Amino acid sequence: MTETAIELVGVNKWYGNFHVLKDIHLTVKTGQKVVICGPSGSGKSTVVRCINRLEEHQKGTIRVDGIELTNDPASVAQIRSEVGMVFQQFNLFPHLSVLENLTLGPIKARGLSKKDAEDKAMQYLERVHIPDQAKKRPGQLSGGQQQRVAIARSLCMEPKVLLFDEPTSALDPEMISEVLDVMTDLADEGMTMVVVTHEMGFARKVADNMIFMDAGEVVEHGPPEEFFGAPRSPRCQKFLSQILQH
Amino acid sequence: MKKILALTLPFLILSGCSSSTTWGWYVIDPRTETGWINIKFLISGMGDTILISVIAAVISIFVGLLVALPGLSDRWGIRMINRVYVELVRSIPLLPMLFWVFYGLPIIFKSMGMNVPIDPFWGAIITLALSDSAFTAEIYRAGIQSIAKGQSEAAQTIGLNYLQTMRYVILPQAIRRILPPLANQFIYIVKMSAFASVIGMQELTRRANELVVSEYRPLEIYSLLILEYLVLVLIISAGVRWLERRMGSDERS
């Protein structure tokens, strides 16, 4: 893996006439944890979704591990194989068991044998502390457990980078910490992470770099001490005062 | 079974009125030799009706899926393939399409230097499958679109390609929503197969027509014909409900 894991240079995106992303520059070094925050509609999820081509950017360059993301399906496939993603709504496959959710990718996309895939899946289920739920359907688990399964599912693909798109926003408050604990463990193990979240406690603890977005722009960025201690822009100050009040 | 009995009963009661000069239930009275022969003649069309319907339905299920997939594309040009097919095919009434396939298609084949005779059996199947596939395609499209977009996004992020995403993630979930309307369409095919009588297919309706011509007892014979379709459709309905229950119990959440 190269020193720079993800690089966005002058990325722009429009939905029709609506300018969603305006000249986004972002560099994530290997092993770094970047937290993106901002009000809803600021484009923070879109940035993350552009990195693995769930959304297409129209201008600028996105590179993951030195590979440029283009319209070439091969580049998309290659980048997706290095980038894992955790969604707000978990997006587990409801018709498959937890174990099958985890082994589907390794078996079908990577060509692993069922036995190897299941061994690996159990190993990651243990890491997110729910090996005993392997035979259940996602619908039988709590939200927190489902999100941890989703994290394990991404890990089974052994990604070099993990993207999180508001991973705790759909959870009941009492389940947020179990998911954040798993994410903190991953961060401590050196995983490169880009996290869109409003969990500022988590951000303060793990982030190397904080990014504040508003109206499709990166308004402010910097290390968390600086970011929380002395936000420069009024927009960022206002956002932080609103979100840190409670 | 009770249901079938209840529906047959009025006809049996009516047959009791055979003393009246206006009734002629004797033509299908199983107690008389001619009546029994007539009944056997009518019912022996069941095989062809079922065969035509089943083969047409199977073809339609595959063609429908092939037509539905381009309809889900992000690209306008590819989506148009689906729209043109669906709008064109579903706006043609079955009978004209049957004539076109049976009398017209062989001429097209001939002009291309191929000698492909179309007999009534395959003419009926092609027409039914073609006509039905436009509706099947719409059923698939609606069913697939009803599965949340996050499902295919998640499948993509774990490295599945388009076909794998469809095969392992989307279709297994969509099938539960697709099956009931698809079964409805099968019932439609069974009923529409009656048109095959027009091009000489000896299925249920054709046999009833032939018997009416020789016996001149339209009420009694067509009543039995209706009953035959009714029984057929009720059996299909029961089968579908069984299938739905089985699939439903498979998903415990």
Side-chain angles (χ1 to χ4, degrees), chain A residues 49 52 54 80 83 85 87 91-96 101 104-105 108-109 137 139-140 153 157, chain B residues 149-160 164 168-170 172-173 176 250-253:
Chain A
R49 290 165 60 83
N52 64 356
L54 291 178
R80 280 186 183 153
V83 177
M85 173 109 173
F87 300 87
N91 295 350
L92 293 174
F93 308 131
H95 59 299
L96 300 177
N101 263 276
L104 184 64
K108 300 302 172 193
R137 293 284 171 105
Q140 294 168 285
R153 180 175 66 180
M157 298 306 288
Chain B
K149 198 156 175 261
Q151 289 290 309
S152 63
E153 288 181 351
Q156 283 168 31
T157 58
I158 58 163
L160 301 190
Q164 289 171 328
Y168 300 109
V169 177
I170 306 299
Q173 296 182 60
R176 257 169 262 276
D250 189 43
E251 180 160 337
R252 268 176 296 274
S253 66

Side-chain angles (χ1 to χ4, degrees), chain A residues 129-183:
Chain A
H129 318 301
I130 33 174
D132 45 325
Q133 313 283 0
K135 299 281 175 230
K136 289 191 182 166
R137 293 284 171 105
Q140 294 168 285
L141 306 184
S142 72
Q145 289 173 325
Q146 289 191 43
Q147 192 60 299
R148 285 186 281 150
V149 171
I151 292 172
R153 180 175 66 180
S154 315
L155 292 174
C156 278
M157 298 306 288
E158 298 181 330
K160 293 176 179 164
V161 177
L162 258 187
L163 309 175
F164 294 83
D165 186 3
E166 304 205 29
T168 57
S169 300
L171 295 177
D172 291 333
E174 75 271 21
M175 292 168 183
I176 292 176
S177 67
E178 64 188 64
V179 172
L180 292 180
D181 286 347
V182 167
M183 290 167 64

Side-chain angles (χ1 to χ4, degrees), chain B residues 234-245:
Chain B
L234 285 176
I235 291 170
I236 298 168
S237 298
V240 170
R241 266 198 298 280
W242 174 80
L243 202 62
E244 274 176 39
R245 263 201 308 278

Side-chain angles (χ1 to χ4, degrees), chain A residues 39-50:
Chain A
S40 67
S42 59
K44 53 195 193 304
S45 288
T46 313
V47 169
V48 166
R49 290 165 60 83
C50 278

Side-chain angles (χ1 to χ4, degrees), chain B residues 27 38 41-42 205-219 221-222:
Chain B
V27 286
N38 286 346
F41 174 75
L42 288 171
T205 304
R206 174 80 177 196
R207 282 167 189 268
N209 277 338
E210 286 174 2
L211 200 63
V212 167
V213 169
S214 60
E215 297 279 358
Y216 201 65
R217 280 291 170 190
L219 171 73
I221 292 167
Y222 287 140

Side-chain angles (χ1 to χ4, degrees), chain B residues 22-89:
Chain B
T22 50
W23 302 112
W25 294 103
Y26 63 87
V27 286
I28 50 164
D29 185 345
R31 289 166 302 187
T32 67
E33 201 187 338
T34 7
W36 184 232
I37 288 170
N38 286 346
I39 287 177
K40 278 198 291 190
F41 174 75
L42 288 171
I43 289 181
S44 62
M46 197 70 94
D48 273 337
T49 291
I50 293 172
L51 202 58
I52 289 175
S53 306
V54 169
I55 297 176
V58 169
I59 295 174
S60 162
I61 280 169
F62 284 106
V63 175
L65 182 59
L66 285 182
V67 174
L69 293 180
L72 299 159
S73 172
D74 298 330
R75 289 172 211 283
W76 180 87
I78 297 177
R79 243 180 6 251
M80 280 312 283
I81 301 172
N82 165 277
R83 287 330 300 162
V84 169
Y85 184 95
V86 169
E87 296 300 343
L88 183 73
V89 171

